[in-house]
Amino acid sequence: MSFVNMQDDAGQGYGSLLTEIDHVAIAVNDLDAAIQWYREAFGAVVAHREVVQSDGVEEALLAVAESYVQLLTPTRDDSTVAKYLEKKGEGIHHVGYRVDDCAKALEAIKAIGGRVLDEAPRPGSRGTTVAFVHPKTSFGTLIELVQE
Ligand code: CMX
Ligand code: CO
């Protein structure tokens, strides 16, 4: 089996707007229990913890190389994550793709007829700029575009 290394001099994939997996987000019922499990199982520790009022969630970011595991729990009943937990139970909620320019990546999705959840980039956790893409557009995966 051959392997073609599609990288340019800067180490980026050719032409891709995606520069890194920023985070894998997992919806959990008990944030502290999930943090403890990751610590016991992997020695993983919390690099950042934050309540994001606008999304009705509290999240803990566990650093993995240049990326994060984002443990996510609702802070109120009308949070989208509360609805998710109720309907589907605990599990992978979304994937955060890191991009250099969130607005540009969002426009690229709109240009191919994609359904976006944010018409324009907005503030995310840890000072990032983010925009969400509807899972029905992206093969059943809720995507968060993350610009640091
Ligand atoms: N991943 C994949 N599919 C999902 C999903 C998810 N996380 N959440 C809902 N869906 C699917 C449902 O299964 C349902 O599909 P069917 O119609 O086939 O049954 C459909 O999407 C609609 O689901 P719903 O339960 O009615 O949910 P809503 O439309 O009310 O909300 C969504 C879903 C994606 C629009 C909403 O979660 C949203 O706006 N998310 C963006 C913001 C967000 O997730 N914030 C929290 C994280 C913040 C952070 O990371 O910092
Ligand atoms: Co996220």
Side-chain angles (χ1 to χ4, degrees):
M1 193 166 67
S2 66
F3 173 74
V4 181
N5 189 4
M6 300 282 280
Q7 303 235 316
D8 62 15
D9 289 344
Q12 308 278 331
Y14 269 120
S16 177
L17 298 181
L18 311 180
T19 61
E20 181 64 272
I21 305 294
D22 187 83
H23 62 270
V24 175
I26 302 167
V28 300
N29 288 315
D30 184 334
L31 190 58
D32 288 319
I35 290 168
Q36 192 182 336
W37 189 88
Y38 269 83
R39 190 189 301 123
E40 284 175 2
F42 306 117
V45 292
V46 175
H48 182 82
R49 189 166 173 160
E50 183 173 338
V51 173
V52 184
Q53 295 289 3
S54 53
D55 287 282
V57 298
E58 181 171 8
E59 59 188 54
L61 294 172
L62 313 176
V64 181
E66 302 299 316
S67 307
Y68 299 95
V69 173
Q70 181 182 73
L71 302 173
L72 202 56
T73 204
T75 54
R76 47 174 202 261
D77 291 346
D78 64 351
S79 159
T80 56
V81 176
K83 191 174 178 185
Y84 182 90
L85 284 168
E86 200 177 301
K87 279 180 79 170
K88 301 194 180 190
E90 295 179 307
I92 293 183
H93 182 261
H94 65 271
V95 179
Y97 293 139
R98 199 172 298 154
V99 295
D100 285 335
D101 185 337
C102 188
K104 185 177 171 185
L106 193 59
E107 287 312 312
I109 287 162
K110 288 189 208 171
I112 58 166
R115 183 172 161 196
V116 297
L117 290 160
D118 297 296
E119 279 305 317
R122 63 178 176 90
S125 66
R126 69 183 172 94
T128 57
T129 299
V130 305
F132 281 85
V133 180
H134 199 285
K136 294 293 171 194
T137 275
S138 40
F139 310 95
T141 305
L142 174 59
I143 292 176
E144 180 180 2
L145 302 167
V146 185
Q147 179 184 340
E148 290 190 306

